[in-house]
Amino acid sequence: MPRYLSLVKIDEATAPAEGPSPELMQRMGELIEEITKAGVMLQTEGLTPTSQGARVRYEGGKISVTDGPFTESKEAVGGYAIMQCKDQAEAIEWTKRFLKVHEDFWTVTCEVREIAEG
């Protein structure tokens, strides 16, 4: 069965500074448990804010490192999930369920892509 990456992108400007609420974390935990029991979830993690990260870029034969936050980006990668699904439609359905556990003030986009094998 193919594996899919759901790349979670958030708008850090509208996300709460303190992070997800305890209620959101509980709903996410329950859904992750369900997805795992269904044999779909292989791995999932959230990421720290961009202010705690760095970008390493290779261009013109040179490497540069830029410390976060990355103000030129509206969306930041907030986490990811790797799922094993029968097809992309199933991966999208699980991703929709993940998005629906968020409160209305969140702006979250998930990019769902099949992982190339071999």
Side-chain angles (χ1 to χ4, degrees):
M1 264 202 309
R3 294 179 302 147
Y4 293 87
L5 171 68
S6 181
L7 192 60
V8 182
K9 298 178 184 180
I10 62 169
D11 182 345
E12 286 188 316
T14 63
E18 66 279 1
S21 67
E23 297 82 12
L24 173 55
M25 292 303 293
Q26 180 178 343
R27 289 190 304 271
M28 271 199 268
E30 291 168 356
L31 180 60
I32 289 168
E33 184 177 334
E34 181 184 347
I35 298 170
T36 302
K37 284 181 179 177
V40 171
M41 184 65 73
L42 300 178
Q43 183 177 358
T44 186
E45 299 291 339
L47 301 175
T48 59
T50 61
S51 61
Q52 298 175 24
R55 280 195 179 146
V56 182
R57 181 178 174 94
Y58 180 76
E59 180 179 19
K62 296 183 181 179
I63 293 180
S64 62
V65 178
T66 305
D67 292 332
F70 313 119
T71 56
E72 70 278 2
S73 298
K74 181 169 172 59
E75 290 183 322
V77 178
Y80 69 93
I82 298 175
M83 301 175 287
Q84 192 163 24
C85 301
K86 64 182 178 205
D87 55 26
Q88 186 181 42
E90 181 185 13
I92 289 170
E93 285 306 310
W94 284 113
T95 300
K96 285 180 183 178
R97 290 193 55 197
F98 168 77
L99 290 172
K100 288 179 183 178
V101 302
H102 290 77
E103 293 96 352
D104 290 343
F105 57 82
W106 283 87
T107 300
V108 185
T109 303
C110 289
E111 184 176 325
V112 178
R113 296 174 58 189
E114 186 173 347
I115 297 172
E117 301 293 339

Coordinates of all heavy atoms in Angstrom, one line a residue, residues 54-59 61-67:
A54 N 15.9 27.1 11.7 CA 16.9 27.7 10.8 C 16.6 27.2 9.4 O 16.1 26.1 9.3 CB 18.3 27.4 11.2
R55 N 16.9 28.0 8.4 CA 16.9 27.5 7.0 C 18.3 27.4 6.5 O 19.1 28.4 6.7 CB 16.1 28.6 6.2 CG 14.6 28.4 6.3 CD 13.9 29.2 5.2 NE 12.5 29.0 5.3 CZ 11.6 29.9 5.0 NH1 12.0 31.1 4.5 NH2 10.3 29.7 5.2
V56 N 18.6 26.3 5.9 CA 19.9 26.1 5.2 C 19.6 26.1 3.7 O 18.8 25.3 3.3 CB 20.5 24.8 5.7 CG1 21.9 24.6 5.1 CG2 20.6 24.8 7.3
R57 N 20.2 27.0 3.0 CA 20.0 27.1 1.6 C 21.3 26.9 0.8 O 22.3 27.4 1.2 CB 19.4 28.5 1.3 CG 19.1 28.8 -0.1 CD 18.5 30.2 -0.2 NE 18.3 30.6 -1.6 CZ 17.2 30.5 -2.3 NH1 16.2 29.9 -1.7 NH2 17.1 30.9 -3.5
Y58 N 21.1 26.2 -0.4 CA 22.2 26.1 -1.3 C 21.9 26.8 -2.6 O 20.8 26.5 -3.2 CB 22.4 24.6 -1.6 CG 23.6 24.3 -2.5 CD1 24.9 24.4 -2.1 CD2 23.3 23.9 -3.8 CE1 25.9 24.1 -3.0 CE2 24.3 23.7 -4.7 CZ 25.6 23.7 -4.3 OH 26.7 23.5 -5.2
E59 N 22.7 27.7 -3.0 CA 22.4 28.5 -4.2 C 23.7 29.0 -4.8 O 24.6 29.5 -4.0 CB 21.5 29.7 -3.9 CG 21.2 30.5 -5.1 CD 20.3 31.7 -4.8 OE1 20.1 32.1 -3.6 OE2 19.7 32.2 -5.7
G61 N 26.3 27.4 -5.7 CA 27.5 26.8 -5.1 C 27.8 27.2 -3.7 O 28.9 26.8 -3.2
K62 N 27.0 28.0 -3.1 CA 27.3 28.5 -1.7 C 26.1 28.1 -0.8 O 25.0 28.0 -1.2 CB 27.5 30.0 -1.7 CG 28.7 30.4 -2.5 CD 28.9 31.9 -2.4 CE 30.1 32.2 -3.2 NZ 30.4 33.6 -3.2
I63 N 26.5 27.9 0.5 CA 25.5 27.6 1.5 C 25.3 28.8 2.4 O 26.3 29.4 2.8 CB 25.9 26.3 2.3 CG1 25.9 25.1 1.4 CG2 25.0 26.1 3.6 CD1 26.3 23.8 2.1
S64 N 24.0 29.1 2.7 CA 23.7 30.1 3.7 C 22.8 29.6 4.8 O 22.0 28.6 4.5 CB 23.1 31.3 3.0 OG 21.9 31.0 2.4
V65 N 22.8 30.1 6.0 CA 22.0 29.7 7.1 C 21.3 30.9 7.6 O 21.9 32.0 7.9 CB 22.8 29.0 8.2 CG1 21.8 28.7 9.4 CG2 23.5 27.8 7.7
T66 N 19.9 30.9 7.7 CA 19.1 32.0 8.2 C 18.4 31.5 9.4 O 17.7 30.5 9.3 CB 18.1 32.4 7.1 OG1 18.8 32.8 5.9 CG2 17.3 33.6 7.6
D67 N 18.5 32.2 10.5 CA 17.8 31.8 11.7 C 16.3 32.3 11.6 O 16.1 33.3 11.0 CB 18.4 32.5 12.9 CG 19.8 31.9 13.3 OD1 20.0 30.7 12.9 OD2 20.6 32.6 13.9

